[in-house]
Amino acid sequence: MKYSVNIETVYRELPFEARFAAAKRDGYDYVELWDWTVKDLDAVAALCRENGVEISCMGGDGPFSLCDPAHAGDYIAFLRTSLQAAQKLGCKRLAVHSNELMPEPHPYAADLFLQYSAAEKTAAMIRTLAAVAPEAEAAGVTLCLEALNVKVEHIGNFLQYTKDAADIVTAVNSPAVKILYDAYHMYLNEGGIIETIRTYLPLIDCIHIADAPGRGEPGTGAIDYRAVLQELDARQYDGMIAFELFPKTDSAAAVAAMNAVRRGL
């Protein structure tokens, strides 16, 4: 299994430029980013080369909603620019979501949910992902569809369950469209992390880890991540596992907990 650390949430005590070296020092060959549009891509590429790390995943969608049929053209255009950015950085994954990611807390626009049925929103997601999938395949980039929790953050987000993400990925039927399974979000929405992994692992290309409640490091909540990682190891999962969490005290303590879970296999 390959491990990554999200340097938007961990190492926040450090300047952004210093976080690449910190991740490498702590045993991570991959780092994860969020919004690439606010980054100097040339500088990020140089920092990756200097520190011997790769970008495992970054955000693919911008100020548009994948589930809104009226946004299809704009969404596709933005996703194409994200593919170009991913190629420039050597990033192999782009996270995509049903709705525009807005500052929290923010209930997603009620008019969108009244205007379209669930079937119409699902169909829009399938059409748009299918339209871009051949370009993602050619670029060597996987579009990773992530469901989000609606209990604490992302109130009203359309895509809430792994099964629904799996149905969309299966309908698109492309090796470049997979699931980003966020264990924190899905623990809150649906529970059954190990059962879900057993059912949908062939469709999963990236797994996010944070404990719940609280979205902190392993050991600060109720999720048994040693058991989760043991299950993944037993099933020979070879995708990415990314620690996307907010340290409860400081990054050093969080990284110690992250690495302890990794060693627990």
Side-chain angles (χ1 to χ4, degrees):
M1 295 184 285
K2 299 179 286 290
Y3 289 93
S4 179
V5 57
N6 188 303
I7 58 172
E8 309 275 12
T9 62
V10 182
Y11 305 118
R12 287 181 297 166
E13 305 93 336
L14 300 175
F16 178 74
E17 296 76 9
R19 300 177 192 178
F20 296 80
K24 184 68 174 182
R25 176 201 67 208
D26 289 336
Y28 292 87
D29 294 326
Y30 299 90
V31 298
E32 190 174 78
L33 304 178
W34 281 344
D35 184 0
W36 63 265
T37 67
V38 296
K39 305 290 192 301
D40 180 333
L41 297 188
D42 290 327
V44 170
L47 286 164
C48 288
R49 289 192 301 271
E50 291 166 10
N51 294 286
V53 298
E54 298 179 31
I55 307 296
S56 62
C57 184
M58 59 188 189
D61 40 22
F64 308 105
S65 290
L66 180 60
C67 69
D68 189 337
H71 284 190
D74 289 331
Y75 191 98
I76 288 171
F78 187 91
L79 189 51
R80 284 174 173 153
T81 66
S82 294
L83 283 171
Q84 293 170 357
Q87 286 183 291
K88 183 169 186 174
L89 293 177
C91 174
K92 300 300 184 185
R93 294 171 189 81
L94 290 172
V96 295
H97 307 85
S98 63
N99 296 69
E100 175 189 356
L101 297 181
M102 299 179 180
E104 304 297 349
H106 191 293
Y108 287 91
D111 57 346
L112 174 60
F113 285 81
L114 294 173
Q115 185 176 0
Y116 303 112
S117 68
E120 288 173 314
K121 287 178 278 194
T122 298
M125 294 174 68
I126 293 169
R127 285 195 304 270
T128 296
L129 290 173
V132 183
E135 298 169 52
E137 290 179 32
V141 176
T142 302
L143 307 178
C144 295
L145 181 62
E146 182 180 19
L148 302 174
N149 92 77
V150 295
K151 307 295 185 183
V152 180
E153 305 98 350
H154 310 293
I155 307 303
N157 187 71
F158 175 59
L159 186 62
Q160 301 175 18
Y161 302 108
T162 308
K163 180 185 182 303
D164 295 334
D167 288 345
I168 291 168
V169 167
T170 301
V172 174
N173 191 28
S174 165
V177 180
K178 297 289 186 180
I179 293 172
L180 193 168
Y181 177 76
D182 189 305
Y184 161 76
H185 286 302
M186 293 303 94
Y187 174 85
L188 294 177
N189 278 2
E190 64 189 17
I193 291 173
I194 289 179
E195 293 81 0
T196 300
I197 286 170
R198 289 173 179 168
T199 301
Y200 298 110
L201 194 60
L203 299 178
I204 295 173
D205 191 57
C206 184
I207 295 173
H208 278 174
I209 285 181
D211 217 334
R215 208 172 183 179
E217 59 268 28
T220 60
I223 301 174
D224 183 354
Y225 272 116
R226 282 186 172 82
V228 172
L229 295 183
Q230 287 167 359
E231 181 71 22
L232 290 167
D233 185 57
R235 293 182 177 272
Q236 299 181 315
Y237 173 71
D238 61 357
M240 188 64 63
I241 297 173
F243 290 96
E244 185 194 49
L245 54 85
F246 292 89
K248 287 298 185 181
T249 54
D250 56 35
S251 294
V255 169
M258 290 154 48
N259 289 345
V261 166
R262 289 175 60 181
R263 291 192 300 270
L265 285 178

